[in-house]
Amino acid sequence: MKTLQHAWQRAHRRRAAITLLLGLPWALAATALALRLSGFDIACVVATVSLLACAAFATARARQLDRQWLQRQLDGSGTSEDSADLLFADATTLNPLQQRQRVHVLATLERAMPELRPRWPRGALALCWIASLAIVALALGWPRSNPGSAPARTSAPGSTAAAGPLHLQSTRLRIDAPAYTGQSTLTQNALDAKVAADSQLSWSLRFDHAPDKAWLQFHDGRRLPLSEHEGQWQAQDVARTPVLYRVVSEPALAETRLHRLDVVADRAPSVRVLEPAANLVLGTPGQRQWALRFEGSDDYGVAAQATLSITTTQGSGENITFVKRSVTLAGSGEATARRFAHTLDLAALGAQSGNDVIAQLEVRDNHAPTPQTGRSSSVILRLPSAEVALGAELEGRIKKTLPAYFRSQRQIIIDAEALIRQRRTLAAEDFVKRSDAIGVDQRILRLRYGQFLGEESEGAPKPPPTSDLPTSDTPAADDHDHDDDHDHGAEAGAHDEHGHDHGGKASNADTPPVFGSATDVLSEYGHTHDHAEAATLLDPQTRATLKAALDQMWSAEGELRQGRPEQALPFAYKALGFIKQVQQAERIYLARVGPELPPIDEGRRLGGDRAGLASRELPLAARTPPDPAIVEAWQRLGDDTGAPDLDALATWQQRNAAYLPDALDLAAAIEQLRIEPDCSDCRQRLRAQLWRALQRPLPQAMRRSAADAMGQRYLDALEAQP
């Protein structure tokens, strides 16, 4: 089989070579014709397309020599004895006779392999190459209809004028961007381009016959002469500002069009703060480090090193001092988007409680000769003072204690489920007592949560009811008038002006304080103010969630107090779900810290010193009216018979280019009308551009319309009243 495979591959290569040799002469002829008729650039395109077409056609022709072709060739030669199909069949599917025939055919092919390669078409190849060379000779050697292209430089000046109008045969623009951009040299045939600022431009033009002189005419009046070298008219310039230009020659070109050259200025680098997320960061007590991360981006590249400016403020009031330092950072990542990271050692900076640390990163780009700089926004780390740290520590302690309350609802559910499982082993009276005890725990937990919503304390738990109907001992009677706000009535007792019980309650007089209870600590050692103040410590969403948990606790408590723990479990589970949402709240307590205003300097108050005070009325500046010449030109363009002064328009455009919405569009419209004076579309285009350039009148207050007869009688009646 290896001998057969090699013969088959040689047949493929022979077919592809024959196809290429038949196609290459016609590709050569087409390239020569394109070079003669359309110039070098079009000839390159034709040659490339022709070669690609020849290669594709040769590949397709070679692929036609497939397995069926090979079988036909072997069977036709008689070597395979009409059994070539057995060579490509699966040996496991053949019967013994077929396998024996297959081995016999392979042995025959090994001894005498027939020639599979197609023969060389010598006659066709010779004909193609002879015809191709003849076409090339005629295309390159046939005399031009416009003789004397080469000796035009030595001929008389009037000879080129007699030769007819000029035509651009080929154009080429080479763009060498500045080294700091990292862009490679670009060569294009189009004369319109968008280039980086300070790019080196090189024009190379070829005419169908040599003109007397040629130049590039820019819209601002500048001329760039073209010099002839070996048939190419060349010029060089540096791109600094956006311009419009056209190719001008003597004799004049048959067709002249404007070309636009946009210049993209190098933007200054920008810096983005990645960490911290906010510009002002409040430090934590005992903080020793501060991590900073920045990202500098630029259109062409950011320098590998940047400068981090660090300012530390010390003192307070008017005795504030500033200590400035700078650190050089090395960036990482791509050149167009580098990242800079640094961790500040607050102790090494001398930052203490009450101080501010201000950081700002400054990066540079690769612009030459002078790099451009970009700065980030300032980020501030404010270290808390001793008073603020004390308040924050107290708030943190409350936050750590609060979740312990939130975990007790799960214990109530566990106790209720255990009681349900023990129903069969307990007497009915004991079952009701234990259910009521769990209900009392649910009530105590609900009252603890109610304090965070501003609810008052209720009395001590009552004994369980003797029937299923609500009595004075049930939660319905004990917590009377329960509404959506859980605003229960206060116990009877002596109340001070704040509405709190300072005299104590008889029922709880002998009850010792519970260790760890916030309410008992406050009632034992401090003066507790209105519980409604605690409600302000919760954000509205957390308050609503906690209120929903209290509603479910109320329902669970009622069922437990009546000896029905099965009916209480759904409400208890819902309450637990709401409590988990409260645990996941972003903020439970809000710091209640008064504003720290600077002290008022009493010596400056009511002194009567008016030195330095003056009227703050701003004078009204007269608005510059639009140039009447431009208004007149706009009006003339609307009249088909009017001819505006294009030179005056061009001068005005150059003088006001910085204020126009698109100065190049207006300049293009002026130059196009200059080239084609009779073009009506060009007139309308220029008129539209002038309308955009004219200043809009400022809006004015509309005058009130005169009063009608009824209104006038009403006004007269008002004036007649004493």
Side-chain angles (χ1 to χ4, degrees), residues 71-72 74-86 101 105:
Q71 293 177 8
R72 291 195 301 268
L74 294 176
D75 292 338
S77 64
T79 310
S80 64
E81 300 178 359
D82 294 335
S83 301
D85 55 339
L86 299 177
Q101 179 66 13
V105 172

Side-chain angles (χ1 to χ4, degrees), residues 113-128:
M113 175 63 66
E115 181 61 41
L116 299 179
R117 294 179 296 179
R119 296 180 179 178
W120 288 101
R122 301 179 185 277
L125 289 174
L127 180 62
C128 290

